[in-house]
Amino acid sequence: WVDYKSVKLYTNAFVISPDSRKVLLGLKKRGFGVGLWNGFGGKVDPEETPLQAAIRELEEEAGIKAPLEQCGTLFFAVDGVDAAFNIDVYRAYEYTGTITESDEMRPQWFSVQDDLLPRGHLPANTGHAPAEDSAELPPVPLEQMWADDEFWMPLMFARRYFVGRADFNADNKMLKWWFAGSPPA
Ligand code: 6OG
C-alpha cells in the first residue's frame, strides 16, 4: 500500500432518481481530475462540517440544493502525494433549484446501466418520478471516470453503505483496492 503523511477531508455528492435509474454527474472542467465525470464535491473547509461542505459544493458546482445523507467513506492514496484523500460520499433522491453549469463542472443526467444495479428488486420508488425517461440518456461513462467508481457505485445504487480504499501510482493508475458494503436492505 502507498504510504502518506497526512489526510485531507473531501466530499462527493450524487443526486439519484428514486428508482436508481438516473444519476446526475458533472464533467470536471479544471484542476484535479479534469476531463473525468464525477459527483459534485471538494475540500472541507476548516470551519465547516463535511455535510455542510457537501451541501455547499453541490450548490456551487451544480446550482442545486439537496437533502444529502452520507452513504459511504472512501480513502485514496496517490504515490508521491503527501496528503491522502478521505472522501465522505453523499446521496440524495430529490433536489430543488435549476441544474446549472459552473466554472468547475458541467452537469448531465445519465441512465444507470443494469451492470451497476442490484439483481432483482430495488427499494420501492417513494419519491418523485424521474423527470425524463432514463432510456434516452447515455449510460454512466465509466471509461471517463476514476477507476474506483465501478466498485462502489453499485453499492450506492443499491442503497447500501460502503467503505473502501484505493491506491494509485503517480500516473493515476489504480494499483490496489478493497471495498465493502452494508448488507442488502
Ligand atoms: P476538488 O479538487 O474539486 O475536489 N475525488 C475522487 N473521486 C473518485 N471517485 N476517485 C478518486 O480517486 C478521487 N479523488 C478525488 C473528491 C476533488 C473532488 O474529486 C473527488 C472531490 O469531490 C483518486 O476540490
Side-chain angles (χ1 to χ4, degrees):
W1 296 97
V2 170
D3 200 13
Y4 53 88
K5 291 204 169 115
S6 61
V7 181
K8 283 189 183 153
L9 297 181
Y10 290 82
T11 66
N12 204 354
F14 294 84
V15 177
I16 304 170
S17 66
D19 63 0
S20 290
R21 287 285 173 184
K22 289 200 318 169
V23 62
L24 185 69
L25 301 175
L27 179 65
K28 191 87 190 290
K29 292 163 69 175
R30 64 178 190 206
F32 188 68
V34 64
L36 298 180
W37 293 92
N38 206 338
F40 302 90
K43 275 194 207 69
V44 179
D45 287 338
E47 76 283 2
E48 65 185 352
T49 67
L51 175 60
Q52 287 168 344
I55 290 170
R56 175 182 55 75
E57 291 276 355
L58 180 65
E59 196 170 11
E60 286 175 3
E61 295 182 350
I64 56 174
K65 279 193 176 296
L68 296 172
E69 71 156 350
Q70 196 190 351
C71 60
T73 300
L74 299 172
F75 186 92
F76 301 121
V78 182
D79 200 12
V81 177
D82 284 351
F85 297 78
N86 180 309
I87 304 183
D88 283 353
V89 184
Y90 292 82
R91 68 183 168 208
Y93 293 98
E94 56 188 290
Y95 68 92
T96 56
T98 305
I99 295 167
T100 310
E101 181 166 351
S102 59
D103 289 350
E104 199 157 333
M105 286 288 221
R106 173 144 62 82
Q108 191 185 310
W109 285 103
F110 291 88
S111 76
V112 178
Q113 52 270 52
D114 290 346
D115 293 357
L116 295 178
L117 290 172
R119 293 182 181 281
H121 280 292
L122 275 172
N125 182 342
T126 50
H128 313 274
E132 311 133 85
D133 183 3
S134 60
E136 293 163 16
L137 300 170
V140 173
L142 290 171
E143 68 294 338
Q144 229 192 112
M145 296 171 69
W146 286 101
D148 50 279
D149 296 13
E150 68 173 287
F151 296 98
W152 55 265
M153 285 193 115
L155 298 166
M156 180 173 73
F157 291 126
R159 300 192 181 219
R160 295 163 68 182
Y161 296 89
F162 54 90
V163 291
R165 172 172 178 168
D167 287 13
F168 294 79
N169 71 12
D171 299 323
N172 285 341
K173 181 178 156 50
M174 192 166 70
L175 302 171
K176 283 181 85 163
W177 62 92
W178 58 264
F179 296 95
S182 64

